[in-house]
């Protein structure tokens, strides 16, 4: 059984498949009806109007309707589109067991515990016939799929077949008034044979057969003709009531389920059980079969399941050159030639019958073209294979069948078989290399003991899959070396597809695709919500992987880009892809050819490989197909090709064109789009970007003029040194003053120009600023104007000037660059410029845009209204008459070195030095399971600060950052060094020897927390770092126990235990001697002579000092002099039984007991500590998954 979908809910009593969509209805004992998408495993909707259990539910074959019947005596017809109940049919007097739509007429048949069967017209909403005759509850009733018959089953131990031909012929069926006496339906057969009540009966879809299941634990098969019906056989095997039984719509089998918690599959021909599927705790209540596919569904006590009885994927393999296809169909090995489309039988295959009464379909097929040999693997007997040598004539001697989990050819005349043998009490997994006589040539142990499948990986190589260890490795059988490894967490790899040149491989699981190189270096991983069915590499375009799901053909590129090529009506299995042609097999084993549009993924592949000449040709040739596609524009924008995306924008999408032109730096196109849009926000953006990207002051000036942004214009003229235009702008501000009272704009321009008379005039004309005008005139030596203003003010109001001050004229600063745009670099024209410019903007339109530059700001009328002598007016404002698109490129800011560090490195320390703290934390979490980053924060900052320096430039410019590298163009310089940690380790040893535990513990903890941010150069140093982790971990654990021992003064038993545990830490010999002496003294003082004696003897074995040896001998002598050398108090300590110490609770974990460990420091803990932060390193989560410490570039090369 292949389970496709399963739900957890209350007891399911009714099921129905939608005939077209991947939907299934389930009715629950709680009264809820659920609509599920079993392909996406999602709940679509729920329907809750019944009161009490709903026992029957059924989809209409063509209308968006379904019907339900429940214990509230009601039949409800629903529209699943509107999610509403359309109407309710009332008439039954007891629980309704089943309901069903007729496949052709507007009828519903229902069975009820009121001992009747009713047929309803759902269009007129009336009951058209009542079928009476049963003497107990009617458990089910259903229409015949083709004839005018109804079959029913009842607890009166009978199955009845009703003839409703008269009902169909009756034109006035809706007006039947005789409720119980009508002759529209008559009993044709009464089938008696069950010893107890019958729960289910069903018609065969094509043959005159009926199957029934009853409370006598039996399934009976009946045959009918025009005049009579009789029992054919009884199928025995269930051990409890049979709940439901049905014929399979496509195979000659019967499926039944029972309250004995099993589903049984029977051969309808031999009437023997083929398979039995059991559940531990759930009784089965109902069955449903899909009308068109091989899906079945079963409802049980805690939900329902959708399943298949066998896999439908045909086993196939390409020939050596890929010109033909070998596949298995209907018991034969067949060959299909792609060029001629000729399909022929090769040899019979006994193990490949589509019926379940023989062997199931083969799982895989492997072919050796030179020897013309075929290996066919199946699931028979837990896994077996058959070897066929295809001769010119057929011979039974060419077939050899042997048990084996997987079998693939690894050379011309050699194949490998996965063999699991038992050696003693352990299971040994090996690969048997055999010749074509099926004789073992070599027996090779595999690198992964839990390997459960092998796949071809080239001559003499295998891919070994381990579902338990969640990885796939490449194994060289000749050298017996692991060449590559891919971790596949929670992914069960099912199929492996190699490209023609064996440079790329695709690993397919149910919902995941992993693309990798020939050495298993992962290029991308793609997740799918719908199951992946098959895939193949494009023969014409290496790098494109085409795959299928249940309802789509899709593509995937090595950079992770993917998309939909087309939709599918039925699932297919791709065998070969050549350009825009896809060759495939369907579930019936029929070869098909599909033509697809490959322009989208070919375009993306050319962009990925930077083949811009191909991109140019595709844009020109296929622009009609892909131009204007929003998805393509978004893709190009995301991938950093805005200049390419610009050519796909339609004329109506000016806003999109403007955004892309701004991003690509095409100011000409951006100005044209802004002119057409003519909105203030776009003009402001154009002006800002024109200055930011290339110092294009002409475009910026034009944009500011369109929005009448005089403040920005003033600033632009000031910084570019264009004082002439700034003076004219001041005159314009005088005109604006009359309308908007724009005094500040006029005053600022005069101030920047150093025009003292102008400033005095502005202040004089402004309200309330006459004293300030007098001061300005007096300070700057304009005595005539000052005298006139003093008269106007009067003697009492003339302000006094400060005494002893030297006055100076305020003048504007001299700009660095006077006039013109910023300096640009000369560059070559891009591949997408020139040839495609006409696709963006016509020359005439561009000339029109440029011709408006001089007249855009027409203020002649305002200038004429200005008083004579006040200025020259708007007509003298020389605005740009032409928009010159520069033929040069602006200086582009280079990529910061920190970004280069971040892109090139997989080491957490270098990511932190580059300032990518999030990436560093993500790496540490994935590699070491670290979650508590608080202790690492100051180290992150130290790494970042130490790898950067800053150089002061001009006073008004920002500082220049400088990267400090290890060598020219190398990785960042790091502040933490391995040899520095070794010095720290020595100081920690010294503090421990001196008994300064409070001082030693922070030293060891600092070392342990620094190691994740350490980088070393060689493999030998990596081993030293890992050894250092182990050493420091042991000392932190021991010192923690020593400190706990000091605190437990009131608990001598705990003191002895902690002292004893400390002696089992992996310490340096001097420290171990001190720990043994401490434990010996503590236990001796507490009169635990036996334990103290054991410590004394251990101490004597460590070459102690003279004083230590003397003390130890005294303890041994005292213990031996005692009458019986025993302990006064019992300790949780057994030195004879090996153990490790829990890093949190400080209790022993003896051999054989369960424990969990820290993924970083490997400290051990009791299972209750799982999920907590490690008490030793204070960084990682106990029990978390992690890939391991990565501290050297040699580990990632």
């Amino acid at each position: 059984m292949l389970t496709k979908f399963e739900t957890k809910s209350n007891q399911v009593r009714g099921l129905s498949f939608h005939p077209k969509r991947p939907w299934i209805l389930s009715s629950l004992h709680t009264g809820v009806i659920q609509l599920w998408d079993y392909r996406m495993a999602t709940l679509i909707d729920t329907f809750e109007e019944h009161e009490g259990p709903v026992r029957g539910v059924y989809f209409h074959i063509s209308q968006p309707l379904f019907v339900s019947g429940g214990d509230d005596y009601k039949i409800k017809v629903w529209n699943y589109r509107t999610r509403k109940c359309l109407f309710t049919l009332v008439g039954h007097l007891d629980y309704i067991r089943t309901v069903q739509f007729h496949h052709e007429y507007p009828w519903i048949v229902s069975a009820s515990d009121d001992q009747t069967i009713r047929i309803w017209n759902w269009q007129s909403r009336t009951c058209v016939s009542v079928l009476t005759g049963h003497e107990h509850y009617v458990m089910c009733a259903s229409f015949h799929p083709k004839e005018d018959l109804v079959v029913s089953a009842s607890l009166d131990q009978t199955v009845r077949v009703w003839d409703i031909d008269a009902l169909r012929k009756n034109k006035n069926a809706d007006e039947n008034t005789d409720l119980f006496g009508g002759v529209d339906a008559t009993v044709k057969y009464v089938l008696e044979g069950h010893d107890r009540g019958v729960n289910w009966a069903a018609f065969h879809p094509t043959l005159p057969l009926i199957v029934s299941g009853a409370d006598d634990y039996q399934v009976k098969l009946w045959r009918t003709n025009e005049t009579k019906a009789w029992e054919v056989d009884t199928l025995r095997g269930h051990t409890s009531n049979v709940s439901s039984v049905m014929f399979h719509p496509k195979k000659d089998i019967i499926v039944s389920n029972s309250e004995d918690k099993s589903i049984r599959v029977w051969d309808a021909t031999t009437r023997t059980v083929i398979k039995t599927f059991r559940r531990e705790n759930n009784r089965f209540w109902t069955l449903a079969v899909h009308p068109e596919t091989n899906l079945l569904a079963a409802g049980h006590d805690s939900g329902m399941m959708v399943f298949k009885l066998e896999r439908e994927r045909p086993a196939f393999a390409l020939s050596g050159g890929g010109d033909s296809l070998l596949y298995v169909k209907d018991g034969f090995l067949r060959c299909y030639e792609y060029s001629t489309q000729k399909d022929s039988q090769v040899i019979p295959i006994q193990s490949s019958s589509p019926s379940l009464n023989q062997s199931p379909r083969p799982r895989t097929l492997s072919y050796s073209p030179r020897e013309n040999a075929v290996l066919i693997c199946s699931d028979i007997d837990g896994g077996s294979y058959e070897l066929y040598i295809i001769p010119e004539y057929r011979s039974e001697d060419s077939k050899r069948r042997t048990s084996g989990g997987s079998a693939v050819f690894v050379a011309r005349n050699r194949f490998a078989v996965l063999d699991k043998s038992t050696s003693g009490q352990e299971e040994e997994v090996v690969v048997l290399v055999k010749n074509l006589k099926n004789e073992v040539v070599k027996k090779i142990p595999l690198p992964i003991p839990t390997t459960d499948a092998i796949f071809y990986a080239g001559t003499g190589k295998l891919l070994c899959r381990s579902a338990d260890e969640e990885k796939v490795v490449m194994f060289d059988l000749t050298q017996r070396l692991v060449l590559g490894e891919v971790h596949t967490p929670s992914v069960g790899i099912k199929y492996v597809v190699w490209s023609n040149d064996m440079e790329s491989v695709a690993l397919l699981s149910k919902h995941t695709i992993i693309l990798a190189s020939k050495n298993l270096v992962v290029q991308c991983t793609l997740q799918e919500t719908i199951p992946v069915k098959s895939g193949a590499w494009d023969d014409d375009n290496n790098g494109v992987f085409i795959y299928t799901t249940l309802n789509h053909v899709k593509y995937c590129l090595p950079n992770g880009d993917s998309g939909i090529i087309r939709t599918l009506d039925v699932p297919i299995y791709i065998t070969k892809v050549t350009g825009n042609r896809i060759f495939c097999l369907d579930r019936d084993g029929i070869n098909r050819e599909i033509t697809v549009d490959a322009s989208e993924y070919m375009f993306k592949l050319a962009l990925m490989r930077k083949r811009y000449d191909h991109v140019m040709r595709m844009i020109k040739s296929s622009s009609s197909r892909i131009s204007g596609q929003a998805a393509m524009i978004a893709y190009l924008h995301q991938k950093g090709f805005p200049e390419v995306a610009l050519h796909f924008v339609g004329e109506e999408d000016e806003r999109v064109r403007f955004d892309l032109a701004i991003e690509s730096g095409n100011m000409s196109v951006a100005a044209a789009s802004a002119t057409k849009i003519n909105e203030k926000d776009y003009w402001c953006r154009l002006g800002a970007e024109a200055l930011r990207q290339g110092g294009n002051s002409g475009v910026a000036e034009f944009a500011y003029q369109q929005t009448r942004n005089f403040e920005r214009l003033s600033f632009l003229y000031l910084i570019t040194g264009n004082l002439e235009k700034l003076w004219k702008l001041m005159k314009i501000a005088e005109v604006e003053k009359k309308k908007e009272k724009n005094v500040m704009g006029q005053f600022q321009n005069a101030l920047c120009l150093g025009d003292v008379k102008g400033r005095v005039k502005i202040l004089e004309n402004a309200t309330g600023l006459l004293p300030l005008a007098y001061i300005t005139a007096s300070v700057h030596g304009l005595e005539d104007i000052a005298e006139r203003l003093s008269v106007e003010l009067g003697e009492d109001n003339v302000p006094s000037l400060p005494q002893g001050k030297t006055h100076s004229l305020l003048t504007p600063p001299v700009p660095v660059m006077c006039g013109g745009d910023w300096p640009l670099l000369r560059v070559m024209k891009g591949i997408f410029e020139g040839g495609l410019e006409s696709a963006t903007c016509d020359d005439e339109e561009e000339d029109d845009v440029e011709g408006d530059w001089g007249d855009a700001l027409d203020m002649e009328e305002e200038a004429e209204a200005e008083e004579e002598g006040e200025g020259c007016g708007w007509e003298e404002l020389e605005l740009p008459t032409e928009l010159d698109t520069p033929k040069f490129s602006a200086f582009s800011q280079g990529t910061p070195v920190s970004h280069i560090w971040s892109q090139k490195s997989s080491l957490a320390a270098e990511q932190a030095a580059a300032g990518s703290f999030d990436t560093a934390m993500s790496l540490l979490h994935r590699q070491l399971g670290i979650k508590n980053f608080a202790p690492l924060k100051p180290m992150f900052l130290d790494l970042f600060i130490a790898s950067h320096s800053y150089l002061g430039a001009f006073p008004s410019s920002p500082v220049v950052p400088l990267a400090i590298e290890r060598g020219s163009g190398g990785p960042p310089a790091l502040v933490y060094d391995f040899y520095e940690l070794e010095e720290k380790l020595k100081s920690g040893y010294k503090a421990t020897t001196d008994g300064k535990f409070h001082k030693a513990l922070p030293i060891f903890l600092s070392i342990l927390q620094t190691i994740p941010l350490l980088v070393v150069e060689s493999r030998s140093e990596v081993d030293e770092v890992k050894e250092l982790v182990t050493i420091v971990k042991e000392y932190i654990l021991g010192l923690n126990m020593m400190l706990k021992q000091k605190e437990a003064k009131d608990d001598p038993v705990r003191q002895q235990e902690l002292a004893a545990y400390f002696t089992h830490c992996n310490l340096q010999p001097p420290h171990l001697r001190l720990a043994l002496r401490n434990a010996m003294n503590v236990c001796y003082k507490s009169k635990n002579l036996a334990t103290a004696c054991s410590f004394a003897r251990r101490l004597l074995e460590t070459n102690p000092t003279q004083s230590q040896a003397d003390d130890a001998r005294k303890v041994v002598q005292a213990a031996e002099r005692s009458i019986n050398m025993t302990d006064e108090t019992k300790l949780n300590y057994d030195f004879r039984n090996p153990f490790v110490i829990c890093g949190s609770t400080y209790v022993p974990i003896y051999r054989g007991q369960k424990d969990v460990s820290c993924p970083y420091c490997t400290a051990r803990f009791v299972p209750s500590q799982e999920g907590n932060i490690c008490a030793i390193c204070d960084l990682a989560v106990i029990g978390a998954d992690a890939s391991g410490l990565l501290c050297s570039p040699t580990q990632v090369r």
Side-chain angles (χ1 to χ4, degrees), residues 871-901:
C872 298
W874 278 100
E875 66 274 9
E876 296 183 9
L877 182 59
E878 296 179 4
L879 299 179
T881 59
E882 184 178 279
L883 177 61
D884 292 328
T885 303
K887 303 300 182 184
F888 302 88
S889 171
F891 285 99
S892 59
Q893 184 178 1
T895 304
V897 178
S898 58
H899 290 187
I900 299 175
W901 289 343

Side-chain angles (χ1 to χ4, degrees), residues 16-232:
S16 177
F17 280 104
H18 194 282
K20 300 295 182 184
R21 299 184 179 183
W23 293 353
I24 187 169
L25 279 170
S26 65
S27 57
L28 309 184
H29 200 265
T30 58
V32 178
I33 302 171
Q34 295 179 334
L35 176 60
W36 291 90
D37 186 323
Y38 54 81
R39 186 177 290 178
M40 299 292 292
T42 55
L43 179 64
I44 300 175
D45 211 340
T46 56
F47 306 88
E48 304 179 21
E49 285 195 19
H50 280 285
E51 299 176 1
V54 181
R55 300 179 186 272
V57 68
Y58 202 85
F59 270 117
H60 194 278
I61 192 172
S62 59
Q63 299 296 320
L65 306 174
F66 70 89
V67 61
S68 61
D71 286 4
D72 54 3
Y73 315 164
K74 296 176 182 178
I75 298 172
K76 293 181 179 288
V77 177
W78 310 75
N79 186 313
Y80 56 74
R81 288 182 182 170
T82 62
R83 303 179 178 182
K84 293 181 179 180
C85 176
L86 300 180
F87 53 87
T88 301
L89 303 175
V90 180
H92 280 296
L93 306 177
D94 209 335
Y95 298 166
I96 297 170
R97 295 285 179 172
T98 63
V99 288
Q100 183 192 16
F101 280 111
H102 195 275
H103 61 280
E104 182 179 354
Y105 299 108
W107 295 343
I108 296 172
V109 63
S110 59
S112 172
D113 285 0
D114 63 6
Q115 304 180 15
T116 67
I117 303 156
R118 290 176 180 257
I119 299 177
W120 313 77
N121 187 314
W122 59 267
Q123 290 181 341
S124 62
R125 307 181 185 181
T126 58
C127 177
V128 297
S129 184
V130 180
L131 283 60
T132 59
H134 281 295
E135 299 175 356
H136 209 303
Y137 300 161
V138 183
M139 301 302 289
C140 83
S142 60
F143 291 111
H144 193 282
K146 294 182 179 179
E147 301 178 12
D148 296 326
L149 299 174
V150 172
V151 65
S152 61
S154 171
L155 294 187
D156 62 6
Q157 303 179 14
T158 66
V159 176
R160 293 178 180 246
V161 179
W162 310 78
D163 189 340
I164 57 172
D165 182 62
L167 180 65
R168 179 179 60 83
K169 294 178 180 179
N170 185 3
K171 295 181 181 180
N172 299 320
D174 295 350
E175 300 176 3
N176 184 15
T177 55
D178 190 357
L179 191 60
F180 293 98
V183 293
D184 293 336
T186 59
V187 178
K188 190 172 184 179
Y189 315 113
V190 178
L191 309 180
E192 299 179 337
H194 283 288
D195 298 331
R196 293 188 181 179
V198 185
N199 293 317
W200 204 270
F203 286 114
H204 192 282
T206 56
L207 300 176
L209 296 175
I210 297 173
V211 66
S212 61
D215 288 346
D216 57 5
Y217 311 167
Q218 296 176 1
V219 175
K220 288 185 179 290
L221 188 64
W222 314 81
R223 181 176 289 274
T224 65
N225 59 19
E226 292 296 328
T227 58
K228 63 178 181 178
W230 65 96
E231 180 182 337
V232 176

